[in-house]
Amino acid sequence: MSFAFPESSPFRRSDFIFGVATASFQIEGANQEDGRCESIWDRFCATPGKVANGDDGSVACDHYHRWEQDLELIAELGVDAYRLSIAWPRIMPQEGQVNQKGVAFYQRLIAKLNSLGIKPFVTLYHWDLPQYLEDRGGWLNRETAYKFAEFADIMTQALGDDVYSYATFNEPFCSAFLGYRFGDHAPGLKDDKWGFQAAHHLLLAHGLALPKMRENAPKAQHGIVLNFAPAYPADPSNQADVEAADFDEQQGIHWFLQPLVEGTYPEAIRQQQPLWWPTILPGDLAIIQQPIDFLGINYYTRHVIKAGDHGPEHVRLAGVERTDMGWEVCPEAFTHLLTKLNQRYQLPPIYITENGMAGADKLENGQVIDQQRCDYYQSHLDAVAAAMAEGVELKGYFAWSLMDNFEWAFGYDKRFGLVYVDYASQQRVLKQSAKYFQSFLKQRKEG
């Protein structure tokens, strides 16, 4: 039981980094311990009707208490790296106040990873904004960008070069658009213009934080993680569908990547939806467009788009393979995305910082057979290798996720993990997919 890659595969090279990923709110629990303050996700979970089954992150995977055994589990998998995020509410539970207990938790975690020979990849913000900042407007308030830069300064001073790689943000698309535009995520607001304004402030925060981060951790890598779903026209012969798919990518991909690399936002947004254009102050784009050492890309699925009366509309194709999220399995779109971005932009080295799928996993006779996930990883790793063969500079790949966890608005209904979590007992069980990774990485080491 292992992945099958040719002898010449880049994945067989010891310098290609394989890792697993998690996020603080999704696994830690302990939401009222050791001085942590309320986050926007605590508030969102407490709002009736927002999260499936009324689930919340108060216990999650209890990683705050079980972190040592979880890191031993990661070591057992044989991966090179672990991508985690820092809970801002643990670090600054009040404005201007640093909570040393929160800082010490992450210092211990990073020290243990280094002692195990596992490279720490740290994401500073994975969606859990302190609620006191949301009370002042959250990411709609320009001041929050400066507050993030302070937080990034504190954490990179505390962890320094013990961290191999820092990302400012995970998926600003989700923070901005799902949080402030579509209302599906915390804080649950719905306004197109708000979504684009929040996105601008998130990217501004990234730019404001970078100089301090580089100063505090000069040997570490510094970058950002963006999520992309390439768009395909429902009818490629219909010009309206082609244009709708292009617009879907302008707002979902290029709105976030173009300012980072080229210092401009896509004009298509201003031309087609002038009322969505955010307030941008002189100099903002120069702050955003600073060199980054790497770009993290998260990929799960593609969009199929048709022209609707009110803009692009998603089409659900019949007869295609889907995951437990209802997302189409489409590895060839992954290759296409990577090669297209590589042709369009002058990109820094890339890490695939998330890729994976939700399955309706069951623990039976002490094991979890998740063949669909094994096949998903095989086909998507093959897709990555195909992009590398076409000249995309790709340094590593992280499976999402290490273990089943709190899946945001879906609560505990959706399982993405390589490791099965029985939430009642907090027992961890390696799924078949985890054993595939373990077996391949063991072969590679011995090979």
Side-chain angles (χ1 to χ4, degrees):
M1 293 202 306
S2 181
F3 297 118
F5 301 119
E7 285 304 317
S8 60
S9 170
F11 306 143
R12 294 188 178 277
R13 296 202 316 258
S14 59
D15 63 341
F16 187 90
I17 292 174
F18 275 100
V20 286
T22 64
S24 52
F25 191 84
Q26 293 182 271
I27 64 167
E28 284 180 1
N31 285 359
Q32 295 178 348
E33 281 185 49
D34 289 344
R36 180 187 177 281
C37 73
E38 184 187 20
S39 81
I40 55 173
W41 271 96
D42 294 304
R43 180 71 60 90
F44 194 71
C45 290
T47 308
K50 294 295 188 189
V51 175
N53 314 311
D55 291 341
D56 63 36
S58 56
V59 177
C61 303
D62 196 31
H63 174 75
Y64 190 74
H65 300 116
R66 299 168 188 264
W67 64 273
E68 286 188 89
Q69 73 182 68
D70 286 340
L71 298 196
E72 296 286 354
L73 186 69
I74 295 168
E76 197 185 313
L77 288 173
V79 295
D80 308 301
Y82 173 46
R83 178 175 174 248
L84 65 139
S85 79
I86 307 286
W88 190 347
R90 286 200 195 285
I91 306 304
M92 302 185 77
Q94 289 178 38
E95 187 127 8
Q97 177 191 326
V98 178
N99 175 23
Q100 289 305 331
K101 281 184 180 172
V103 173
F105 170 70
Y106 294 106
Q107 286 174 323
R108 287 193 298 274
L109 215 154
I110 299 301
K112 174 78 171 174
L113 284 171
N114 282 320
S115 75
L116 291 167
I118 298 167
K119 292 178 171 65
F121 278 62
V122 165
T123 304
L124 291 170
Y125 184 82
H126 199 129
W127 311 353
D128 43 359
L129 187 72
Q131 181 61 41
Y132 63 79
L133 289 175
E134 184 57 42
D135 291 342
R136 296 216 299 267
W139 290 109
L140 298 177
N141 183 351
R142 186 181 172 90
E143 180 195 26
T144 303
Y146 291 86
K147 296 296 176 190
F148 173 77
E150 287 174 27
F151 161 63
D153 186 18
I154 287 160
M155 275 325 296
T156 50
Q157 271 189 57
L159 301 177
D161 286 324
D162 289 344
V163 169
Y164 183 82
S165 169
Y166 288 98
T168 49
F169 288 94
N170 178 75
E171 302 185 348
F173 170 96
C174 294
S175 298
F177 285 5
L178 299 187
Y180 294 88
R181 186 181 177 193
F182 305 133
D184 299 325
H185 280 188
L189 303 181
K190 285 187 189 183
D191 186 290
D192 287 314
K193 186 178 173 66
W194 289 351
F196 284 88
Q197 190 64 62
H200 176 63
H201 287 154
L202 283 151
L203 293 173
L204 178 66
H206 157 82
L208 289 168
L210 277 177
K212 280 289 183 195
M213 292 164 63
R214 290 193 186 284
E215 188 181 316
N216 295 335
K219 292 179 184 160
Q221 298 177 2
H222 301 277
I224 190 169
V225 170
L226 305 179
N227 59 306
F228 297 138
Y232 289 70
D235 178 358
S237 66
N238 180 328
Q239 187 58 26
D241 285 4
V242 171
E243 289 172 7
D246 179 68
F247 188 75
D248 190 67
E249 290 196 347
Q250 293 297 334
Q251 57 180 336
I253 295 178
H254 303 293
W255 184 266
F256 295 88
L257 184 53
Q258 191 175 309
L260 290 166
V261 183
E262 297 177 351
T264 57
Y265 283 115
E267 274 303 315
I269 307 298
R270 197 201 304 260
Q271 287 162 11
Q272 294 183 47
Q273 296 289 351
L275 296 180
W276 295 358
W277 200 258
T279 301
I280 301 167
L281 298 190
D284 282 3
L285 284 157
I287 292 170
I288 292 168
Q289 186 202 2
Q290 289 181 58
I292 48 176
D293 302 319
F294 72 93
L295 173 66
I297 293 179
N298 297 351
Y299 172 84
Y300 291 96
T301 188
R302 69 169 182 165
H303 291 164
V304 179
I305 298 291
K306 70 172 183 180
D309 294 338
H310 304 287
E313 288 181 7
H314 291 249
V315 175
R316 190 177 168 89
L317 298 180
V320 299
E321 184 190 353
R322 295 188 180 279
T323 71
D324 201 39
M325 293 291 283
W327 297 345
E328 180 187 353
V329 175
C330 193
E332 55 274 21
F334 195 9
T335 306
H336 188 215
L337 166 75
L338 292 169
T339 53
K340 207 163 75 166
L341 290 178
N342 192 48
Q343 288 159 7
R344 162 79 172 74
Y345 292 103
Q346 287 288 112
L347 293 176
I350 293 167
Y351 289 97
I352 302 306
T353 31
E354 288 180 27
N355 180 226
M357 57 155 279
D361 304 325
K362 299 273 187 296
L363 178 61
E364 292 171 332
N365 304 320
Q367 55 181 359
V368 180
I369 305 300
D370 59 342
Q371 189 61 49
Q372 187 192 13
R373 184 176 288 107
C374 298
D375 295 343
Y376 180 100
Y377 278 122
Q378 176 75 61
S379 65
H380 285 71
L381 282 162
D382 288 344
V384 167
M388 292 174 77
E390 290 194 45
V392 178
E393 189 184 358
L394 226 146
K395 299 287 195 186
Y397 176 97
F398 289 76
W400 182 272
S401 63
L402 165 65
M403 56 186 161
D404 297 334
N405 55 40
F406 176 80
E407 191 45 48
W408 308 110
F410 294 94
Y412 295 98
D413 278 355
K414 303 298 181 189
R415 293 180 177 270
F416 275 87
L418 295 174
V419 176
Y420 184 90
V421 177
D422 178 319
Y423 294 110
S425 67
Q426 289 295 342
Q427 180 192 11
R428 275 81 158 134
V429 179
L430 297 190
K431 298 179 190 177
Q432 184 184 358
S433 55
K435 293 174 183 175
Y436 268 55
F437 273 104
Q438 192 177 42
S439 170
F440 169 67
L441 292 166
K442 188 165 183 276
Q443 282 173 28
R444 181 175 79 161
K445 202 171 182 182
E446 291 166 355

